[in-house]
Amino acid sequence: MSNLLDLLVAGLATGAIYALVAVGFTLLWQTSQTINFAQGEFVMLPAFLMLAVMHAGAPFWLAIILGILLSLLLLGLGFKLLLVDPMLRHGVLPLAIATMALAIGMKEAVKQFFSAEASPFPSIVPAGDVWILGRVVSLQSLGVLALAIAVVIGLTALLNRTSIGHQMQATAQNPTVARIIGVPVERMILLTFLINAFLVALASLLITPIYLAKFSSGEVLGQAAFIAAIVGGFNQVRGAIAGGLLIGVVDNLAAAYVSTQYRAAVPLILLIVIILFRPQGLLGRPEERTV
Amino acid sequence: MRSGIFAGLLLVTVSAATAFAQGAPIKLADVAELSGGGATVGNNWKNGIDLAIEEINAKGGVLGRKLEVTHADSQSNPGVARAQVQKALDNEPYVLLGPGYSGSVKVTSPLAAEAGITQIMGGEAAELTQGGNKFLFRTSFGQQSSMPKVAKYINDELKAKSAAIVWVNNDFGKGGRDVITKEFAKYNIKVAADLSTEAGQADFAADVSKIKAAAPDAVFVYLNEEESARILKELKRQAVAVPLVGETTLVGQKVVELAGDAANGARGHVGLTTDAPVDLVKAFREKFVKKYNYVPDHNGLKGYLAIYMVKATTEKMGKVDPKKFADTLHGLTIKAASEPGILMDVTFDEKGDIDRQGFLVEIVEGKQVVKQVLPKLN
């Protein structure tokens, strides 16, 4: 039982990070039909941007701020203007393939200009333990979980309780009608790209102290978040959140109670079951398209 | 005018003769893990090689000939390593250097043996030198030499009655796990948990939870450097307080750098360490840090020693003969007094394994502290 509590806390902490990344998947899909297969590498890059700033002599807090700003510029604005806009007019598939190419390019560039070796990365949550239900629980796990949940709640509030959020949802649901009623659709789409860039930068900040900064660290994250988004529901932010948490917990429980070797297969089996029996995802809504 | 032409011809002839006497460069080929999961291993190895070659060439080379090396990247992938080694062998190198990963050595060593080219590698899996390959040589201890010392330490010093084994599921990890399990059996140390992990694994939360549930007296960690750092962090995060014991890959410089405070208290047997209380090793460390601006791990030492093995063996033969190289190195003892680049006295046996002094170390405040020197056997 006590072991289960450890696994749940660790799984939820990792799952919360998956959720942040998965939310980005759903946001981009809803507003611009973009499936970003470089999303994992988007999580990898901000850590290196922050490291580069620190190597230039800046303190960690300044590196975080500059890293997030650079991420907004490169992974939000730059990604939309330089890759999504020119490719989207050719259809979803060419764009998806272009993001795969982007993922390779980003990995190789980091390897080339930074290092192929892993680098340590400081944690924003201090080391230490707290006692919960008679068990020692790491402060870092709790901090990561709390911060990720706070961001998710903030994002949900933005989408549901503010005018900008309503405009973004209108853009996602029907951009033509949204444009007719005066919603600045282009600006809303850009905003979702910027929000995605912010989320991946934050995920990078939280996960890199655990996974270490390495050019290849986005591969696992990207795959887990993609599965989480589909399992939860690709067209619902709340679905991506639930999917992320579920995958984090399932992955940890599978490693502990099934097999470490087959742990990676369990989320995939879950994915297949969801596709077969509830293709819209756990919390997603069915979509119908005519051809 | 005629005397001027004659003098010119004479000068050209003398220069050509001198060049011929010095000979063309001795070509070496290195295939290492320059990217991928083993990048730490491969880059340290490569830098050690380059440093040694620079030193030797600055002093006139080997038998008057300069050393020249080409580096190829195996991407830490045995399939790529095999292709790169085949490509390197096609250029007929004097000696093949690397790879560092045991799995890559396993698939490449038959190629080098077939070509009759000596391979000096960094792999530590016990089985590598057990197959009768006469062209394969280690630069460090194999698991069959190091694991008995680790098990003895866990039994004699830690008085552990049970231990968890965490190993990486590749040739290196499985080889180590098999040997240490046999050694534990000799001391009646119960294996409380036997955990296989994957190369490149990022999340060790579940593995550490299993260790906690098994409540062992000690944990034996046998992973590659980056994964070692990750599990050390997770062990600290989950407040595992029992002794953590391993081999070089648990207490190396890179692990300490990556794991930070979490590495403190980790102990292990190391065949090579730049913190060894040996003057020549200290001098090597200073030269390496001066050139590359970081402290090398044992792989840097391995690469450096590989080149000095080439130098000492070639000078022993008195000629550059790739076919006789392996025969000469078998049974050879190289003394640091006559070849300082070899750093410590070393003997190579008929299998290509080495005999040299080793060390038991502990990480204290982010630094390797040598607790015990284990002398050379013969």
Side-chain angles (χ1 to χ4, degrees):
Chain A
M1 179 61 199
S2 56
N3 189 32
L4 183 65
L5 181 66
D6 289 338
L7 289 167
L8 282 176
V9 171
L12 285 172
T14 313
I17 296 167
Y18 291 163
L20 291 179
V21 186
V23 166
F25 267 121
T26 63
L27 284 176
L28 295 191
W29 172 250
Q30 286 181 67
T31 55
S32 64
Q33 277 68 57
T34 301
I35 301 177
N36 180 18
F37 284 109
Q39 187 81 340
E41 282 64 37
F42 274 36
V43 181
M44 172 271 294
L45 189 67
F48 281 97
L49 295 173
M50 293 173 200
L51 281 176
V53 174
M54 279 193 281
H55 285 182
F60 186 39
W61 63 267
L62 183 59
I64 293 173
I65 294 169
L66 290 177
I68 290 174
L69 289 175
L70 284 169
S71 299
L72 293 175
L73 191 68
L74 294 171
L75 306 177
L77 189 64
F79 176 53
K80 182 180 184 300
L81 294 182
L82 300 177
L83 195 133
V84 176
D85 287 350
M87 291 302 296
L88 194 55
R89 67 179 73 113
H90 300 291
V92 174
L93 192 59
L95 176 57
I97 293 169
T99 62
M100 288 178 196
L102 178 65
I104 296 169
M106 286 172 71
K107 275 191 291 192
E108 292 304 316
V110 168
K111 194 162 81 177
Q112 182 78 26
F113 294 109
F114 207 90
S115 170
E117 295 183 51
S119 301
F121 190 85
S123 172
I124 54 166
V125 185
D129 305 311
V130 290
W131 287 82
I132 297 177
L133 300 174
R135 297 288 299 171
V136 177
V137 179
S138 136
L139 208 55
Q140 280 192 344
S141 293
L142 289 179
V144 166
L145 187 59
L147 196 58
I149 288 173
V151 170
V152 166
I153 290 172
L155 182 65
T156 311
L158 173 78
L159 291 175
N160 295 329
R161 304 254 172 108
T162 66
S163 169
I164 285 180
H166 293 151
Q167 291 180 61
M168 286 172 70
Q169 290 196 49
T171 303
Q173 284 167 15
N174 194 326
T176 310
V177 174
R179 200 170 277 118
I180 291 169
I181 61 173
V183 173
V185 170
E186 287 307 314
R187 204 182 303 164
M188 290 303 115
I189 292 173
L190 176 61
L191 190 57
T192 59
F193 277 81
L194 293 176
I195 290 173
N196 180 52
F198 175 74
L199 292 176
V200 292
L202 195 68
S204 186
L205 189 61
L206 295 175
I207 198 80
T208 313
I210 302 166
Y211 282 16
L212 303 175
K214 186 159 183 176
F215 72 95
S216 56
S217 63
E219 292 165 4
V220 177
L221 273 171
Q223 186 188 335
F226 186 63
I227 293 172
I230 296 176
V231 166
F234 220 87
N235 53 19
Q236 288 289 325
V237 168
R238 62 186 177 172
I241 296 164
L245 294 173
L246 183 65
I247 293 296
V249 171
V250 164
D251 181 44
N252 264 279
L253 293 179
Y257 296 118
V258 181
S259 154
T260 310
Q261 288 93 331
Y262 293 108
R263 71 184 296 177
V266 176
L268 289 170
I269 292 169
L270 181 63
L271 174 69
I272 292 168
V273 171
I274 292 288
I275 288 173
L276 288 177
F277 296 104
R278 195 173 164 79
Q280 71 270 33
L282 292 174
L283 300 178
R285 60 173 186 272
E287 281 184 14
E288 288 180 7
R289 293 188 181 191
T290 51
V291 289
Chain B
M1 178 66 186
R2 188 175 289 175
S3 63
I5 292 170
F6 179 74
L9 279 173
L10 189 65
L11 188 64
V12 168
T13 309
V14 168
S15 303
T18 308
F20 184 76
Q22 286 179 339
I26 299 171
K27 290 184 178 175
L28 307 172
D30 170 39
V31 177
E33 294 75 9
L34 302 181
S35 65
T40 301
V41 174
N43 285 295
N44 270 287
W45 166 267
K46 172 186 175 291
N47 289 342
I49 287 173
D50 288 341
L51 176 62
I53 288 181
E54 190 180 291
E55 276 177 19
I56 292 169
N57 285 346
K59 290 177 184 170
V62 177
L63 302 178
R65 293 170 65 177
K66 304 267 180 182
L67 294 175
E68 196 175 276
V69 66
T70 54
H71 297 288
D73 183 9
S74 76
Q75 298 170 23
S76 308
N77 178 331
V80 177
R82 190 175 162 89
Q84 292 284 22
V85 163
Q86 187 59 66
K87 194 172 157 192
L89 291 172
D90 289 345
N91 291 324
E92 298 178 354
Y94 178 49
V95 170
L96 174 67
L97 307 167
Y101 267 18
S102 297
S104 294
V105 174
K106 197 173 164 184
V107 299
T108 57
S109 56
L111 298 176
E114 196 176 319
I117 298 295
T118 300
Q119 182 175 8
I120 301 176
M121 51 84 181
E124 295 183 3
E127 64 174 314
L128 296 177
T129 49
Q130 309 295 312
N133 184 336
K134 292 289 177 192
F135 294 90
L136 192 61
F137 292 87
R138 294 187 193 276
T139 46
S140 61
F141 293 124
Q143 291 156 343
Q144 75 285 2
S145 308
S146 56
M147 292 303 162
K149 295 169 190 166
V150 175
K152 189 172 187 307
Y153 174 76
I154 290 174
N155 183 67
D156 295 355
E157 304 290 327
L158 302 180
K159 313 283 184 205
K161 299 290 174 208
S162 67
I165 304 174
V166 191
W167 50 284
V168 57
N169 191 10
N170 58 22
D171 292 285
F172 160 77
K174 189 166 186 320
R177 178 256 183 197
D178 290 347
V179 181
I180 199 80
T181 305
K182 281 183 196 158
E183 294 298 322
F184 280 166
K186 287 181 192 167
Y187 293 106
N188 287 323
I189 296 173
K190 183 187 160 204
V191 177
D194 185 9
L195 303 175
S196 151
T197 67
E198 294 305 307
Q201 186 172 319
D203 188 346
F204 286 92
D207 305 284
V208 173
S209 290
K210 279 184 177 176
I211 293 171
K212 281 179 82 173
D217 295 334
V219 182
F220 175 69
V221 182
Y222 203 60
L223 310 175
N224 295 125
E225 280 85 349
E226 287 175 14
E227 290 82 5
S228 289
R230 291 188 186 112
I231 199 169
L232 283 172
K233 282 171 164 248
E234 190 59 42
L235 285 160
K236 185 177 167 68
R237 239 161 52 108
Q238 294 197 32
V240 174
V242 296
L244 310 173
V245 188
E247 235 279 322
T248 316
T249 51
L250 182 68
V251 290
Q253 289 296 335
K254 186 68 185 177
V255 180
V256 174
E257 181 199 334
L258 293 175
D261 289 347
N264 287 335
R267 308 151 201 216
H269 167 263
V270 295
L272 293 165
T273 168
T274 54
D275 288 306
V278 176
D279 288 342
L280 287 171
V281 175
K282 287 178 187 165
F284 158 80
R285 177 180 166 139
E286 278 176 25
K287 284 183 279 188
F288 195 102
V289 171
K290 191 176 173 192
K291 183 170 169 63
Y292 298 109
N293 205 25
Y294 76 96
V295 178
D297 69 5
H298 63 293
N299 295 294
L301 278 156
K302 284 186 194 176
Y304 186 82
L305 293 172
I307 297 302
Y308 277 97
M309 284 164 65
V310 172
K311 178 174 183 280
T313 308
T314 307
E315 288 175 349
K316 173 80 176 172
M317 287 191 291
K319 59 181 177 179
V320 178
D321 186 348
K323 300 296 173 196
K324 296 262 175 65
F325 189 98
D327 284 343
T328 309
L329 189 49
H330 282 300
L332 182 66
T333 294
I334 308 171
K335 291 196 171 289
S338 55
E339 177 47 83
I342 211 72
L343 305 180
M344 291 175 280
D345 293 356
V346 60
T347 300
F348 297 88
D349 70 10
E350 288 308 309
K351 290 179 180 170
D353 287 323
I354 64 168
D355 178 17
R356 186 169 51 205
Q357 67 180 14
F359 310 92
L360 280 171
V361 304
E362 181 177 342
I363 305 300
V364 180
E365 293 178 358
K367 288 190 175 151
Q368 267 189 5
V369 175
V370 175
K371 295 285 181 182
Q372 205 176 330
V373 177
L374 306 170
K376 186 171 180 277
L377 295 175
N378 300 304

